[in-house]
Amino acid sequence: MKFHTVETAPQDWAGDGLAIGLWQAPTTDDQPIALPSEWAELDARFNGTLTELITETEFKAKAGATVSARIGGNSPVRKVILVGMGKTADLTLDGVRRAAAAIARTAKKQRCKTLALCLPLADLNPGLAVQAMTEGIELALYQDQRFKSEPDKVPPPDRVDFLGYGDQLAAIARAQAICAGVQLARELVAAPANAVTPVTLAETAKEIAETAGWTIEVLGKEACEQLGMGAYLGVAQATELPPQFIHLTYQPAGTPRRKLAIIGKGLTFDSGGLNIKGAGSGIEMMKMDMAGAGAALGAAKALSLLAPPDVEVHFISPATENMISGHALHPGDIVTASNGKTIEVNNTDAEGRLTLADALVFAEKLGVEAIVDLATLTGACVVALGDRIAGLWSSDAALSEQLQQAATQAGEKLWPMPLEDKYFDGMKSPIADMKNAGPRNAGAITAALFLKQFVKETPWAHLDIAGPAWLEKADGYNSPGATGFGVRTLVNWVLS
Ligand code: BES
Ligand code: MN
Ligand code: ZN
């Protein structure tokens, strides 16, 4: 798909689909809207198609709603698409992203090869809005056909024009880089465990490094043993596949102003271990338990295209599977993490935190200013926040604020959650320094408190993305399946 910003007036544009954004009435919600006078000339030229379409479909311009009609005759425009922008006062960048996504889906259905968008922005920044529209279109039209023997034959639009936003080529390029990252994350997360393994994840990281000239180090089992990573290696000891501790580094051309670490949970399959996930537990979905790693690598991909001049970023993933065999951790085993702390593994299904413990210790030794980890860590977080919102825990108010701002601009929702130290009482072990799993209540909080034990003083934040990493139903620019959640927030955070 090629995107352009052009100053052509809508009445002078020629092509398959002309999309026009209309505001919902500020007070009445249930009335069809009146066509604003600025569109009267175009409506006349289209023989009244716009007013007719609004009346016939009782179009109320609710956010993300679309209707379309054929113009007919010898019109230079084949179809007009109306999209609801919602109420002016409620419009956000993500509303623009969603409106563009709705247009893209309609345009594809209507077989539009060329498409123009003319959406009102209220007081939103035109550059950020063009970026959001480009993202909305790219992400909504993304289709994963790798595992289909017969691909979808309906082509997406091949040219998109944004009308009247000034020259925004830089915004389009930024959006395309970010979408390349989101798409990589979606591909990695959606791929089953027999397609994406710890070795595949490491190879993906190597490819990013080779293409962009970054540094990559992948520690195998022996190297991790040398570093004393007993928690991570405990999880990895039953699988037939070699553990791959991935460390990908971006060093900018200039002197870095900031030095950051991003850690992604990289369980390419989580069977639960000997505390095996039973029938009805969603075990078949546990190919997505590397969505943290997917987000980290997706952000790396985007940043490899954006090459920010003054920030150094370390991308880390302790990749492995959580399997069962004669080598598996026994429930009750005690492992020692690389900071010397001992952990009684009272539940082998609380494996993500064991792998992250060693990754956090590793990251802190790099001397970074901040560490953010992303993990599909707990079912409890899904119970608390559902599939649209990730939980955010942080030891540092400024970092928490930065991430929330980055997420808002990205259209990804984070909700701040408490690090209630008293709840760590539930993780006390009579025999070791701590257990790895606490009681049922506040399970997402105790998981975060467990991680906190492995960070000494570096500002740290933990995102539990178990809910939003995967969607059952299409929503805006996300189709059912892997969402690539976290990539856009991470990129915004690194660039901020
Ligand atoms: N990978 C799961 C969490 C998960 C659940 C991710 C649903 C995505 C969707 C994690 O390793 C896990 O099994 N957590 C346990 C922790 C418990 C044993 C303390 C859980 O949430 O049940
Ligand atoms: Mn588990
Ligand atoms: Zn897991």
Side-chain angles (χ1 to χ4, degrees):
M1 242 177 311
K2 291 231 159 63
F3 295 87
H4 304 266
T5 43
V6 294
E7 292 307 300
T8 315
Q11 54 269 23
D12 298 327
W13 187 81
D16 286 328
L18 173 61
I20 292 167
L22 297 173
W23 297 115
Q24 189 177 349
T27 50
T28 47
D29 290 346
D30 46 0
Q31 294 284 319
I33 56 159
L35 185 71
S37 57
E38 61 191 283
W39 294 110
E41 191 195 326
L42 188 74
D43 193 30
R45 206 178 278 208
F46 289 170
N47 294 318
T49 308
L50 301 186
T51 37
E52 206 174 284
L53 184 58
I54 290 170
T55 318
E56 266 179 6
T57 62
E58 297 182 28
F59 188 65
K60 301 174 187 77
K62 291 204 169 141
T66 62
V67 287
S68 63
R70 169 182 290 282
I71 309 292
N74 296 324
S75 170
V77 173
R78 192 165 61 81
K79 297 250 166 143
V80 64
I81 300 170
L82 302 183
V83 64
M85 301 299 291
K87 295 181 184 175
T88 316
D90 299 339
L91 188 72
T92 60
L93 272 180
D94 202 47
V96 172
R97 201 178 276 112
R98 285 168 178 273
I103 292 165
R105 291 189 198 276
T106 304
K108 180 171 184 261
K109 225 180 271 160
Q110 301 293 333
R111 305 290 202 276
C112 297
K113 297 281 290 258
T114 57
L115 176 66
L117 278 78
C118 188
L119 310 186
L121 298 182
D123 52 6
L124 294 177
N125 173 290
L128 292 177
V130 167
Q131 181 186 336
M133 285 190 267
T134 308
E135 289 171 3
I137 294 168
E138 283 267 20
L139 297 178
L141 294 180
Y142 163 87
Q143 266 182 307
D144 185 357
Q145 314 228 36
R146 289 170 299 166
F147 304 103
K148 298 268 193 199
S149 60
E150 296 236 5
D152 175 6
K153 292 196 181 70
V154 182
D158 52 29
R159 180 188 166 104
V160 179
D161 292 337
F162 299 111
L163 305 186
Y165 301 104
D167 176 356
Q168 302 295 355
L169 290 180
I172 290 170
R174 197 161 59 231
Q176 286 181 313
I178 289 171
C179 290
V182 176
Q183 280 160 15
L184 173 63
R186 286 178 176 182
E187 277 176 20
L188 290 171
V189 175
N194 63 349
V196 165
T197 65
V199 170
T200 326
L201 282 182
E203 277 167 358
T204 306
K206 282 179 191 158
E207 207 173 295
I208 295 171
E210 269 160 31
T211 311
W214 293 13
T215 319
I216 173 86
E217 187 185 21
V218 179
L219 309 181
K221 185 168 171 244
E222 286 72 29
C224 294
E225 268 164 8
Q226 293 284 306
L227 291 170
M229 296 183 172
Y232 165 53
L233 290 176
V235 175
Q237 74 195 29
T239 171
E240 298 282 329
L241 304 177
Q244 304 273 280
F245 189 99
I246 300 165
H247 176 203
L248 172 66
T249 309
Y250 170 58
Q251 207 91 50
T255 319
R257 178 178 55 88
R258 294 202 298 163
K259 227 175 130 173
L260 310 171
I262 294 169
I263 301 175
K265 173 175 171 181
L267 267 290
T268 58
F269 189 71
D270 177 13
S271 72
L274 282 170
N275 291 102
I276 194 163
K277 290 178 186 292
S281 65
I283 189 171
E284 72 286 354
M285 290 311 304
M286 284 304 133
K287 63 175 185 177
M288 56 87 91
D289 212 15
M290 34 58 68
L297 291 177
K301 168 89 195 174
L303 289 162
S304 75
L305 299 168
L306 295 167
D310 54 1
V311 49
E312 177 179 316
V313 194
H314 297 263
F315 302 88
I316 295 160
S317 181
T320 184
E321 294 186 314
N322 185 22
M323 297 295 279
I324 47 175
S325 76
H327 299 287
L329 279 175
H330 317 88
D333 279 0
I334 297 172
V335 296
T336 306
S338 42
N339 64 349
K341 293 208 178 161
T342 60
I343 306 158
E344 180 187 3
V345 182
N346 61 319
N347 192 323
T348 60
D349 198 9
E351 84 298 335
R353 60 196 76 179
L354 293 172
T355 67
L356 294 173
D358 283 324
L360 288 163
V361 172
F362 181 92
E364 189 158 38
K365 283 196 230 149
L366 298 169
V368 293
E369 271 155 57
I371 303 172
V372 175
D373 78 71
L374 295 92
T376 47
L377 202 63
T378 66
C381 198
V382 189
V383 172
L385 299 175
D387 63 6
R388 298 173 64 102
I389 309 171
L392 161 65
W393 286 260
S394 183
S395 58
D396 186 272
L399 175 58
S400 169
E401 191 50 47
Q402 286 166 22
L403 287 168
Q404 288 180 70
Q405 273 182 22
T408 303
Q409 197 179 79
E412 295 183 318
K413 291 188 177 167
L414 305 182
W415 196 260
M417 301 283 277
L419 282 167
E420 183 66 27
D421 281 321
K422 185 72 184 147
Y423 290 173
F424 197 66
D425 288 355
M427 309 284 280
K428 284 203 174 130
S429 164
I431 181 162
D433 295 344
M434 67 193 92
K435 296 195 285 194
N436 73 325
R440 223 171 99 83
N441 287 350
I445 298 176
T446 50
L449 287 168
F450 179 90
L451 297 180
K452 189 173 167 230
Q453 311 308 308
F454 299 90
V455 187
K456 281 206 282 244
E457 54 193 14
T458 309
W460 154 78
H462 158 60
L463 304 182
D464 193 332
I465 62 169
W470 192 272
L471 283 185
E472 290 302 325
K473 281 201 222 129
D475 181 17
Y477 39 81
N478 286 318
S479 298
T483 58
F485 186 94
V487 173
R488 300 198 306 276
T489 296
L490 287 173
V491 171
N492 287 347
W493 176 61
V494 170
L495 296 180
S496 68

